Amino acid sequence: MRLTTALVTIASAVMMACNAVEAAGPVVAGYLLLNPTSGPSKLKALADNAANIPINRIFLSFARPGMVYVPGSNTLEHVGLNYANTPDFGFADLKTRVAALQANGVEVFLSVGGWNYGCFPYTYTYYSVGGYGTTTPNYYKILENGGSLDKCTEANMWCYTCEPKKENTVLADFDIFPEPTNSTTWKAAVQYVAAGAKGAAPVFHPEMVPVPGNDYFIKQNRDPYQDLVYLGKDLGLAGIDIDYEEMWHADMYREGPSTGPWTNHQTVYKYAAIMRDVQINIQAIAPTMMIATAASAAGGLSTNWWGGNLKNIWYLTYAWYPEVYNFIAQGANGGGVNVMTYDLSNNQEYHECPDANTCSLSQQVNYYMKSYADNGMAAHVGYEIGIPAYPAIEHDPTHQLPLTQAELSAILAVQGAKGGFFWELYKAAGQPNNVEVTAAAQQICKAALGANTPRCSGVIPQPGGVVPTSTVTTTSAPPTTTTNPPITSPTLGTGCNIAAWSATATYNANDKVSYNGRQYTAQWWSQNNIPTAGAPWADNGLCTSGPVTPTPTANPGTCAGVSAWSSSTAYSGSAKVTYGGFLYTAQWWTSGETPGTAAVWTKGASCGANLRRRLYQ
């Protein structure tokens, strides 16, 4: 996950916790970025409402790859999770929240790695961003912060390619995945990888010590991957997650002709050894613990690699080390291969569409997921809430591919039944057309777990706020009449001394607005959610006790040519149906949800000539 802090997923083998988690089936997961400021309160809100949130798995992010955890110590001091500034660094509190979540059907994983805990500024700058000439998509960072590659130094954080200057990062904020040669299980993993190598001869690099100051595991003679399993067991988590994003490693140790294409076999070997080390320790320490991994969108492709990403890594891991891949992807320990099908771009200057006809977000997502499926590799699809991290919005907003409702519906139509995950549980939608997190989670949940699954109508709670258990709203039937009056729309009633709702404004929990003569209160963060559509808005009634005066408008059209709603049909956003004599429009992907009782359907005009619906409630 490409964001400003790093984190590790951790797994647990405590049988009571595992028994409390819902039965195996499609997973609807969200990442939670923890920090000492708001992380504990967010996790508490999720734990307090665990039975009603529209996900059944949480990835806590991120722990440091070079972590140290001594079993039974019950402290997060050297884990790098940055969860809380307490004597045990939040261990007891975290364990309490984990137990509450899992008792109410939500699996909890701890994720290790991520963007910062995998991006070493020097190597990423010199081998990835600046390793292919001056026309790569991120080279502008070097030009803006140093002027040229040779002017990128530690003083300017090697031209701020891992994180922008405004983040004020220091070397201690970064880490890499270590190669702990002191460890018996690491040595066994390396031997396993060498025996199965089908490309170049494996060459490991234990001399690549994590960022100076982050070598505590060496001084303590610990294996961080073994300690990760111990930590997961002591916290009582359901699983651990390895979020491996070391693009620099592939570029630094590439092999092949000077003009390409190249091979990135050394990175396949390193990744496979990491996962094998974790596998060995799970089997020895916590046999029921699950393991998951985040994978790159292009990771399942078998075609030539031209550098700059992690293309082929998971394809070759599966081809050469199927035991490792399948241990992650399926079976009792399989937490899943989670494909980061986001941060995609349609900038063809850098050939960023798979081909000229596959450039929209949904087309690219389905293309990359198909590559995993075509090669027999089980994998889960990923969604990103809000503004993508790449390309940077301040540099190239025109080539961003955010998750709009239309794109979400198109992805769900192909991938929905398989489940999936998203980044991140409290990430803002950012722009009016982007799908906000609760709406996205509900739709992913309903597509995977079924439209009538109770938790799928829940919301992502805000810390300290009052959280409803459902966003489903009902609308009373409009009055009938034997005449044919015009359809009416409201004018603002008198007495509304509250600011009018705006589609472009952002609102937090408990913010109040006026809309069409009524008062509304936001129940959680919102942008571009019309108050009359229901949640996240609570209707507080008319601004005055008097009636709202309707203003005549034109009559809507009839229902001619629109098919009747069917409980067995899947509908995409904007699809129209008739039901109970009225026209309904789907707001997002849906199946089996009855018009008039589910928020996904917006009620429109009457299909009868003598019946009209008033547009105000």
Side-chain angles (χ1 to χ4, degrees):
M1 314 306 151
R2 180 185 173 81
L3 280 164
T4 57
T5 61
L7 147 135
V8 103
T9 79
I10 221 165
S12 161
V14 176
M15 292 305 297
M16 289 182 64
C18 291
N19 291 337
V21 176
E22 292 172 338
V27 171
V28 181
Y31 274 81
L32 174 62
L33 185 65
L34 294 174
N35 60 64
T37 303
S38 61
S41 61
K42 290 175 180 176
L43 187 58
K44 180 181 185 300
L46 291 163
D48 289 347
N49 298 278
N52 299 307
I53 55 178
I55 57 175
N56 58 10
R57 179 178 293 177
I58 290 177
F59 291 103
L60 304 178
S61 47
F62 288 104
R64 186 181 290 279
M67 64 178 292
V68 167
Y69 176 78
V70 177
S73 62
N74 296 343
T75 177
L76 301 176
E77 181 177 5
H78 299 292
V79 173
L81 192 57
N82 297 322
Y83 179 65
N85 295 320
T86 57
D88 66 353
F89 294 84
F91 183 95
D93 183 75
L94 183 61
K95 187 169 184 176
T96 298
R97 306 306 173 204
V98 168
L101 284 158
Q102 298 197 150
N104 286 282
V106 181
E107 299 170 334
V108 185
F109 281 54
L110 180 60
S111 181
V112 59
W115 179 250
N116 281 20
Y117 284 171
C119 187
F120 187 34
Y122 172 81
T123 52
Y124 182 61
T125 297
Y126 276 84
Y127 292 96
S128 296
V129 176
Y132 298 94
T134 61
T135 57
T136 57
N138 282 319
Y139 200 86
Y140 77 93
K141 297 179 181 180
I142 293 173
L143 296 176
E144 291 179 356
N145 295 295
S148 62
L149 182 61
D150 60 356
K151 293 180 181 178
C152 292
T153 66
E154 183 177 344
N156 59 16
M157 201 56 64
W158 291 283
C159 286
Y160 301 106
T161 57
C162 284
E163 288 293 346
K165 183 178 181 180
K166 64 184 180 181
E167 294 295 333
N168 296 313
T169 50
V170 296
L171 283 182
D173 295 320
F174 301 98
D175 204 352
I176 65 173
F177 281 80
E179 299 178 17
T181 54
N182 58 299
S183 163
T184 300
T185 54
W186 175 261
K187 291 177 181 177
V190 168
Q191 291 174 356
Y192 168 83
V193 168
K198 294 180 175 61
V203 179
F204 288 89
H205 297 276
E207 75 279 4
M208 289 290 294
V209 177
V211 178
N214 295 339
D215 58 352
Y216 186 69
F217 79 93
I218 297 174
K219 298 173 182 176
Q220 298 298 313
N221 194 31
R222 306 293 303 180
D223 178 349
Y225 308 121
Q226 184 179 75
D227 284 357
L228 174 61
V229 177
Y230 279 128
L231 176 59
K233 181 179 180 180
D234 284 359
L235 279 172
L237 282 87
I240 54 176
D241 172 58
I242 305 298
D243 191 339
Y244 184 81
E245 300 185 36
E246 290 184 340
M247 274 87 77
W248 62 266
H249 188 277
D251 296 316
M252 185 174 183
Y253 297 115
R254 74 189 190 200
E255 296 171 292
S258 60
T259 57
W262 301 280
T263 63
N264 49 17
H265 296 169
Q266 299 305 326
T267 305
V268 176
Y269 299 142
K270 179 178 180 180
Y271 173 77
I274 292 168
M275 303 311 291
R276 181 65 172 179
D277 191 352
V278 176
Q279 178 185 1
I280 293 170
N281 281 289
I282 285 177
Q283 292 170 328
I285 298 168
T288 62
M289 184 178 292
M290 289 184 284
I291 179 173
T293 191
S296 75
L301 292 168
S302 60
T303 49
N304 285 338
W305 178 65
W306 295 90
N309 58 25
L310 293 179
K311 184 179 181 181
N312 307 151
I313 299 299
W314 284 266
Y315 168 78
L316 292 175
T317 298
Y318 176 69
W320 298 347
Y321 309 105
E323 181 183 1
V324 169
Y325 188 96
N326 289 330
F327 187 78
I328 306 164
Q330 54 196 16
N333 299 100
V337 174
N338 300 314
V339 185
M340 295 183 289
T341 40
Y342 43 75
D343 291 349
L344 302 173
S345 167
N346 61 4
N347 189 345
Q348 284 297 69
E349 178 183 356
Y350 303 111
H351 309 285
E352 291 185 317
C353 299
D355 58 59
N357 298 315
T358 309
C359 277
S360 73
L361 177 64
S362 56
Q363 288 173 329
Q364 292 198 46
V365 168
N366 290 329
Y367 172 90
Y368 289 121
M369 293 307 299
K370 187 175 184 296
S371 73
Y372 279 84
D374 286 350
N375 288 314
M377 304 160 64
H380 298 153
V381 68
Y383 306 83
E384 181 170 23
I385 306 301
I387 297 173
Y390 175 84
I393 193 168
E394 65 273 12
H395 176 71
D396 184 17
T398 61
H399 291 107
Q400 283 194 330
L401 297 175
L403 186 66
T404 63
Q405 184 57 62
E407 294 292 355
L408 175 58
S409 296
I411 297 170
L412 287 173
V414 178
Q415 311 292 341
K418 307 169 191 174
F421 71 100
F422 59 87
W423 176 270
E424 186 265 352
L425 278 161
Y426 289 91
K427 191 177 177 199
Q431 295 176 337
N433 292 330
N434 296 351
V435 182
E436 58 89 25
V437 64
T438 286
Q442 288 179 341
Q443 295 174 65
I444 298 167
C445 184
K446 290 176 181 179
L449 306 183
N452 297 320
T453 304
R455 72 165 58 251
C456 294
S457 293
V459 303
I460 305 302
Q462 293 298 318
V466 178
V467 182
T469 59
S470 174
T471 62
V472 176
T473 60
T474 59
T475 303
S476 58
T480 61
T481 177
T482 56
T483 63
N484 189 16
I487 298 303
T488 59
S489 63
T491 57
L492 187 64
T494 59
C496 279
N497 57 357
I498 302 172
W501 173 81
S502 168
T504 60
T506 57
Y507 299 97
N508 295 313
N510 300 317
D511 284 351
K512 298 183 184 301
V513 299
S514 60
Y515 184 76
N516 286 348
R518 302 182 73 86
Q519 302 178 53
Y520 295 86
T521 301
Q523 297 167 91
W524 59 87
W525 188 96
S526 170
Q527 184 182 48
N528 198 30
N529 296 103
I530 298 174
T532 52
W537 294 103
D539 188 346
N540 300 324
L542 294 170
C543 292
T544 66
S545 58
V548 179
T549 304
T551 301
T553 61
N555 286 338
T558 67
C559 300
V562 180
S563 299
W565 173 79
S566 170
S567 61
S568 61
T569 301
Y571 299 96
S572 299
S574 301
K576 296 183 183 300
V577 299
T578 61
Y579 183 80
F582 285 85
L583 181 71
Y584 287 86
T585 302
Q587 302 304 299
W588 54 81
W589 186 96
T590 178
S591 178
E593 296 179 279
T594 306
T597 63
V600 62
W601 292 107
T602 297
K603 195 172 185 179
S606 164
C607 297
N610 296 321
L611 187 62
R612 293 290 182 264
R613 170 168 166 75
R614 295 184 182 273
L615 301 182
Y616 57 92
Q617 302 289 327

Short mmCIF file of all heavy atoms in Angstrom, two decimals, residues 435-485:
data_model
loop_
_atom_site.label_atom_id
_atom_site.label_comp_id
_atom_site.label_asym_id
_atom_site.label_seq_id
_atom_site.Cartn_x
_atom_site.Cartn_y
_atom_site.Cartn_z
N VAL A 435 -16.24 7.12 -5.09
CA VAL A 435 -17.10 6.38 -4.15
C VAL A 435 -16.50 6.46 -2.76
O VAL A 435 -15.31 6.19 -2.57
CB VAL A 435 -17.23 4.91 -4.58
CG1 VAL A 435 -18.17 4.17 -3.63
CG2 VAL A 435 -17.76 4.82 -6.00
N GLU A 436 -17.32 6.85 -1.78
CA GLU A 436 -16.81 6.91 -0.41
C GLU A 436 -16.80 5.51 0.20
O GLU A 436 -17.42 4.58 -0.31
CB GLU A 436 -17.62 7.91 0.42
CG GLU A 436 -19.10 7.64 0.51
CD GLU A 436 -19.45 6.73 1.67
OE1 GLU A 436 -18.68 6.70 2.65
OE2 GLU A 436 -20.46 6.03 1.60
N VAL A 437 -16.11 5.36 1.32
CA VAL A 437 -15.74 4.04 1.81
C VAL A 437 -16.94 3.18 2.21
O VAL A 437 -16.99 1.99 1.90
CB VAL A 437 -14.72 4.16 2.96
CG1 VAL A 437 -15.31 4.86 4.17
CG2 VAL A 437 -14.18 2.79 3.34
N THR A 438 -17.92 3.74 2.90
CA THR A 438 -19.06 2.93 3.32
C THR A 438 -19.83 2.41 2.11
O THR A 438 -20.21 1.23 2.05
CB THR A 438 -19.99 3.72 4.25
OG1 THR A 438 -19.38 3.84 5.54
CG2 THR A 438 -21.33 3.01 4.43
N ALA A 439 -20.07 3.28 1.12
CA ALA A 439 -20.79 2.85 -0.08
C ALA A 439 -20.03 1.75 -0.80
O ALA A 439 -20.62 0.78 -1.28
CB ALA A 439 -21.03 4.04 -1.00
N ALA A 440 -18.71 1.90 -0.91
CA ALA A 440 -17.90 0.88 -1.57
C ALA A 440 -17.94 -0.43 -0.80
O ALA A 440 -18.14 -1.51 -1.38
CB ALA A 440 -16.46 1.36 -1.73
N ALA A 441 -17.74 -0.35 0.52
CA ALA A 441 -17.72 -1.57 1.33
C ALA A 441 -19.05 -2.30 1.27
O ALA A 441 -19.10 -3.54 1.17
CB ALA A 441 -17.38 -1.22 2.78
N GLN A 442 -20.16 -1.56 1.33
CA GLN A 442 -21.48 -2.19 1.26
C GLN A 442 -21.67 -2.94 -0.05
O GLN A 442 -22.18 -4.07 -0.08
CB GLN A 442 -22.57 -1.14 1.42
CG GLN A 442 -22.70 -0.59 2.83
CD GLN A 442 -23.78 0.48 2.92
OE1 GLN A 442 -24.19 1.06 1.91
NE2 GLN A 442 -24.25 0.73 4.12
N GLN A 443 -21.27 -2.30 -1.14
CA GLN A 443 -21.48 -2.93 -2.45
C GLN A 443 -20.59 -4.16 -2.64
O GLN A 443 -21.03 -5.19 -3.17
CB GLN A 443 -21.22 -1.91 -3.55
CG GLN A 443 -22.22 -0.77 -3.55
CD GLN A 443 -21.87 0.30 -4.55
OE1 GLN A 443 -21.88 0.07 -5.75
NE2 GLN A 443 -21.54 1.48 -4.06
N ILE A 444 -19.34 -4.08 -2.21
CA ILE A 444 -18.44 -5.23 -2.31
C ILE A 444 -18.97 -6.35 -1.44
O ILE A 444 -18.97 -7.53 -1.83
CB ILE A 444 -17.01 -4.83 -1.89
CG1 ILE A 444 -16.45 -3.75 -2.83
CG2 ILE A 444 -16.08 -6.04 -1.89
CD1 ILE A 444 -15.19 -3.07 -2.32
N CYS A 445 -19.43 -6.00 -0.25
CA CYS A 445 -19.96 -6.98 0.69
C CYS A 445 -21.19 -7.69 0.13
O CYS A 445 -21.30 -8.91 0.16
CB CYS A 445 -20.30 -6.27 2.01
SG CYS A 445 -20.87 -7.36 3.34
N LYS A 446 -22.14 -6.92 -0.42
CA LYS A 446 -23.37 -7.51 -0.94
C LYS A 446 -23.10 -8.39 -2.16
O LYS A 446 -23.74 -9.44 -2.34
CB LYS A 446 -24.37 -6.41 -1.28
CG LYS A 446 -24.92 -5.71 -0.04
CD LYS A 446 -25.84 -4.55 -0.39
CE LYS A 446 -26.35 -3.87 0.87
NZ LYS A 446 -27.23 -2.73 0.58
N ALA A 447 -22.16 -7.97 -2.98
CA ALA A 447 -21.83 -8.77 -4.15
C ALA A 447 -21.20 -10.10 -3.76
O ALA A 447 -21.43 -11.13 -4.39
CB ALA A 447 -20.89 -8.00 -5.07
N ALA A 448 -20.39 -10.09 -2.68
CA ALA A 448 -19.66 -11.30 -2.28
C ALA A 448 -20.44 -12.17 -1.31
O ALA A 448 -20.45 -13.39 -1.44
CB ALA A 448 -18.32 -10.91 -1.66
N LEU A 449 -21.08 -11.56 -0.32
CA LEU A 449 -21.72 -12.31 0.75
C LEU A 449 -23.22 -12.45 0.58
O LEU A 449 -23.85 -13.24 1.28
CB LEU A 449 -21.43 -11.65 2.11
CG LEU A 449 -19.95 -11.42 2.45
CD1 LEU A 449 -19.83 -10.84 3.85
CD2 LEU A 449 -19.15 -12.69 2.32
N GLY A 450 -23.80 -11.70 -0.36
CA GLY A 450 -25.24 -11.76 -0.57
C GLY A 450 -25.91 -10.48 -0.14
O GLY A 450 -25.57 -9.90 0.90
N ALA A 451 -26.89 -10.06 -0.93
CA ALA A 451 -27.54 -8.77 -0.69
C ALA A 451 -28.24 -8.70 0.65
O ALA A 451 -28.40 -7.61 1.22
CB ALA A 451 -28.53 -8.48 -1.81
N ASN A 452 -28.67 -9.83 1.18
CA ASN A 452 -29.42 -9.83 2.43
C ASN A 452 -28.57 -10.13 3.65
O ASN A 452 -29.10 -10.33 4.74
CB ASN A 452 -30.57 -10.84 2.33
CG ASN A 452 -31.57 -10.45 1.25
OD1 ASN A 452 -31.89 -9.28 1.09
ND2 ASN A 452 -32.06 -11.44 0.51
N THR A 453 -27.25 -10.19 3.48
CA THR A 453 -26.37 -10.39 4.62
C THR A 453 -26.43 -9.16 5.53
O THR A 453 -26.14 -8.05 5.09
CB THR A 453 -24.92 -10.61 4.16
OG1 THR A 453 -24.89 -11.72 3.26
CG2 THR A 453 -24.00 -10.87 5.34
N PRO A 454 -26.83 -9.31 6.80
CA PRO A 454 -27.06 -8.14 7.65
C PRO A 454 -25.89 -7.17 7.72
O PRO A 454 -26.09 -5.95 7.63
CB PRO A 454 -27.37 -8.77 9.02
CG PRO A 454 -27.96 -10.10 8.69
CD PRO A 454 -27.19 -10.57 7.48
N ARG A 455 -24.66 -7.67 7.88
CA ARG A 455 -23.54 -6.74 8.05
C ARG A 455 -23.30 -5.89 6.80
O ARG A 455 -22.71 -4.83 6.88
CB ARG A 455 -22.26 -7.47 8.46
CG ARG A 455 -21.58 -8.30 7.41
CD ARG A 455 -20.14 -8.67 7.82
NE ARG A 455 -20.05 -9.39 9.07
CZ ARG A 455 -19.56 -8.85 10.19
NH1 ARG A 455 -19.15 -7.58 10.18
NH2 ARG A 455 -19.48 -9.56 11.29
N CYS A 456 -23.77 -6.35 5.65
CA CYS A 456 -23.51 -5.61 4.43
C CYS A 456 -24.28 -4.30 4.34
O CYS A 456 -24.01 -3.46 3.47
CB CYS A 456 -23.82 -6.46 3.20
SG CYS A 456 -22.74 -7.89 3.02
N SER A 457 -25.24 -4.09 5.23
CA SER A 457 -25.95 -2.81 5.28
C SER A 457 -25.40 -1.91 6.37
O SER A 457 -25.94 -0.82 6.61
CB SER A 457 -27.45 -3.05 5.50
OG SER A 457 -28.03 -3.68 4.39
N GLY A 458 -24.35 -2.35 7.04
CA GLY A 458 -23.73 -1.53 8.08
C GLY A 458 -22.84 -0.46 7.50
O GLY A 458 -22.71 -0.31 6.29
N VAL A 459 -22.20 0.29 8.38
CA VAL A 459 -21.38 1.42 7.97
C VAL A 459 -20.01 1.33 8.61
O VAL A 459 -19.79 0.59 9.57
CB VAL A 459 -22.04 2.76 8.36
CG1 VAL A 459 -23.43 2.88 7.76
CG2 VAL A 459 -22.10 2.91 9.88
N ILE A 460 -19.07 2.08 8.07
CA ILE A 460 -17.76 2.23 8.70
C ILE A 460 -17.90 3.32 9.76
O ILE A 460 -18.13 4.48 9.43
CB ILE A 460 -16.68 2.62 7.67
CG1 ILE A 460 -16.64 1.60 6.52
CG2 ILE A 460 -15.32 2.72 8.35
CD1 ILE A 460 -16.38 0.18 6.93
N PRO A 461 -17.80 2.99 11.04
CA PRO A 461 -18.09 3.96 12.10
C PRO A 461 -17.00 5.00 12.27
O PRO A 461 -15.82 4.73 12.04
CB PRO A 461 -18.20 3.08 13.34
CG PRO A 461 -17.27 1.94 13.05
CD PRO A 461 -17.38 1.68 11.57
N GLN A 462 -17.40 6.18 12.68
CA GLN A 462 -16.44 7.23 12.99
C GLN A 462 -16.11 7.19 14.47
O GLN A 462 -16.99 6.92 15.30
CB GLN A 462 -17.01 8.60 12.62
CG GLN A 462 -17.19 8.80 11.14
CD GLN A 462 -15.88 8.73 10.37
OE1 GLN A 462 -14.87 9.27 10.80
NE2 GLN A 462 -15.89 8.05 9.23
N PRO A 463 -14.88 7.43 14.86
CA PRO A 463 -14.51 7.39 16.28
C PRO A 463 -15.36 8.34 17.11
O PRO A 463 -15.51 9.52 16.76
CB PRO A 463 -13.04 7.84 16.27
CG PRO A 463 -12.55 7.51 14.91
CD PRO A 463 -13.72 7.73 14.00
N GLY A 464 -15.96 7.83 18.16
CA GLY A 464 -16.73 8.66 19.08
C GLY A 464 -18.11 9.04 18.60
O GLY A 464 -18.85 9.72 19.31
N GLY A 465 -18.49 8.62 17.39
CA GLY A 465 -19.78 9.01 16.84
C GLY A 465 -20.85 7.96 17.09
O GLY A 465 -20.58 6.83 17.45
N VAL A 466 -22.11 8.38 16.93
CA VAL A 466 -23.23 7.45 17.01
C VAL A 466 -23.37 6.79 15.65
O VAL A 466 -23.49 7.45 14.63
CB VAL A 466 -24.53 8.18 17.37
CG1 VAL A 466 -25.69 7.21 17.40
CG2 VAL A 466 -24.36 8.87 18.72
N VAL A 467 -23.37 5.47 15.64
CA VAL A 467 -23.33 4.74 14.38
C VAL A 467 -24.62 3.96 14.18
O VAL A 467 -25.00 3.15 15.03
CB VAL A 467 -22.14 3.77 14.35
CG1 VAL A 467 -22.07 3.05 13.03
CG2 VAL A 467 -20.86 4.52 14.62
N PRO A 468 -25.32 4.18 13.08
CA PRO A 468 -26.51 3.36 12.80
C PRO A 468 -26.09 1.95 12.42
O PRO A 468 -24.97 1.72 11.98
CB PRO A 468 -27.16 4.09 11.63
CG PRO A 468 -26.02 4.75 10.94
CD PRO A 468 -25.04 5.14 12.03
N THR A 469 -27.00 1.00 12.59
CA THR A 469 -26.68 -0.39 12.24
C THR A 469 -26.99 -0.71 10.81
O THR A 469 -26.65 -1.76 10.32
CB THR A 469 -27.45 -1.35 13.15
OG1 THR A 469 -28.86 -1.12 12.97
CG2 THR A 469 -27.08 -1.14 14.60
N SER A 470 -27.66 0.18 10.09
CA SER A 470 -28.02 -0.11 8.71
C SER A 470 -28.21 1.18 7.95
O SER A 470 -28.58 2.21 8.52
CB SER A 470 -29.31 -0.93 8.66
OG SER A 470 -29.74 -1.09 7.33
N THR A 471 -27.93 1.12 6.66
CA THR A 471 -28.18 2.28 5.82
C THR A 471 -29.39 2.07 4.93
O THR A 471 -29.66 2.85 4.05
CB THR A 471 -26.96 2.57 4.93
OG1 THR A 471 -26.76 1.44 4.07
CG2 THR A 471 -25.73 2.82 5.74
N VAL A 472 -30.13 0.97 5.14
CA VAL A 472 -31.31 0.72 4.34
C VAL A 472 -32.42 1.66 4.76
O VAL A 472 -32.71 1.80 5.95
CB VAL A 472 -31.77 -0.74 4.49
CG1 VAL A 472 -33.06 -0.97 3.74
CG2 VAL A 472 -30.70 -1.68 3.98
N THR A 473 -33.03 2.32 3.83
CA THR A 473 -34.13 3.23 4.12
C THR A 473 -35.38 2.76 3.41
O THR A 473 -35.31 2.08 2.40
CB THR A 473 -33.80 4.66 3.68
OG1 THR A 473 -33.56 4.64 2.27
CG2 THR A 473 -32.57 5.19 4.37
N THR A 474 -36.51 3.12 3.96
CA THR A 474 -37.78 2.80 3.32
C THR A 474 -38.51 4.08 3.00
O THR A 474 -38.37 5.09 3.69
CB THR A 474 -38.65 1.91 4.22
OG1 THR A 474 -38.90 2.61 5.45
CG2 THR A 474 -37.96 0.60 4.52
N THR A 475 -39.28 4.04 1.95
CA THR A 475 -40.03 5.21 1.52
C THR A 475 -41.50 4.85 1.50
O THR A 475 -41.90 3.85 0.91
CB THR A 475 -39.59 5.64 0.10
OG1 THR A 475 -38.19 5.87 0.14
CG2 THR A 475 -40.31 6.88 -0.34
N SER A 476 -42.32 5.65 2.15
CA SER A 476 -43.74 5.39 2.16
C SER A 476 -44.31 5.61 0.78
O SER A 476 -43.82 6.43 0.00
CB SER A 476 -44.44 6.31 3.18
OG SER A 476 -44.18 7.66 2.85
N ALA A 477 -45.38 4.87 0.47
CA ALA A 477 -45.99 4.99 -0.84
C ALA A 477 -46.61 6.36 -1.01
O ALA A 477 -47.18 6.92 -0.07
CB ALA A 477 -47.05 3.91 -1.00
N PRO A 478 -46.51 6.96 -2.19
CA PRO A 478 -47.07 8.27 -2.42
C PRO A 478 -48.59 8.20 -2.48
O PRO A 478 -49.17 7.15 -2.76
CB PRO A 478 -46.49 8.67 -3.78
CG PRO A 478 -46.26 7.37 -4.45
CD PRO A 478 -45.86 6.42 -3.38
N PRO A 479 -49.26 9.30 -2.20
CA PRO A 479 -50.72 9.29 -2.27
C PRO A 479 -51.20 9.12 -3.70
O PRO A 479 -50.58 9.59 -4.63
CB PRO A 479 -51.10 10.67 -1.71
CG PRO A 479 -49.91 11.52 -1.99
CD PRO A 479 -48.73 10.62 -1.85
N THR A 480 -52.31 8.41 -3.84
CA THR A 480 -52.90 8.25 -5.16
C THR A 480 -53.98 9.29 -5.37
O THR A 480 -54.52 9.87 -4.43
CB THR A 480 -53.51 6.85 -5.30
OG1 THR A 480 -54.53 6.69 -4.31
CG2 THR A 480 -52.45 5.77 -5.11
N THR A 481 -54.29 9.55 -6.60
CA THR A 481 -55.31 10.53 -6.94
C THR A 481 -55.94 10.14 -8.26
O THR A 481 -55.32 9.49 -9.08
CB THR A 481 -54.71 11.96 -7.03
OG1 THR A 481 -55.75 12.84 -7.42
CG2 THR A 481 -53.57 12.01 -8.02
N THR A 482 -57.16 10.53 -8.43
CA THR A 482 -57.87 10.21 -9.67
C THR A 482 -57.65 11.28 -10.72
O THR A 482 -58.07 11.13 -11.85
CB THR A 482 -59.36 10.08 -9.40
OG1 THR A 482 -59.84 11.29 -8.80
CG2 THR A 482 -59.64 8.93 -8.44
N THR A 483 -56.98 12.36 -10.32
CA THR A 483 -56.67 13.40 -11.29
C THR A 483 -55.24 13.24 -11.76
O THR A 483 -54.55 12.33 -11.37
CB THR A 483 -56.87 14.79 -10.66
OG1 THR A 483 -55.95 14.93 -9.59
CG2 THR A 483 -58.30 14.95 -10.14
N ASN A 484 -54.80 14.18 -12.57
CA ASN A 484 -53.46 14.08 -13.12
C ASN A 484 -52.70 15.37 -12.87
O ASN A 484 -52.41 16.13 -13.78
CB ASN A 484 -53.54 13.80 -14.62
CG ASN A 484 -52.18 13.47 -15.20
OD1 ASN A 484 -51.26 13.16 -14.47
ND2 ASN A 484 -52.07 13.54 -16.52
N PRO A 485 -52.38 15.67 -11.56
CA PRO A 485 -51.69 16.91 -11.25
C PRO A 485 -50.24 16.87 -11.71
O PRO A 485 -49.68 15.80 -11.91
CB PRO A 485 -51.78 16.97 -9.72
CG PRO A 485 -51.78 15.55 -9.31
CD PRO A 485 -52.55 14.82 -10.37
#
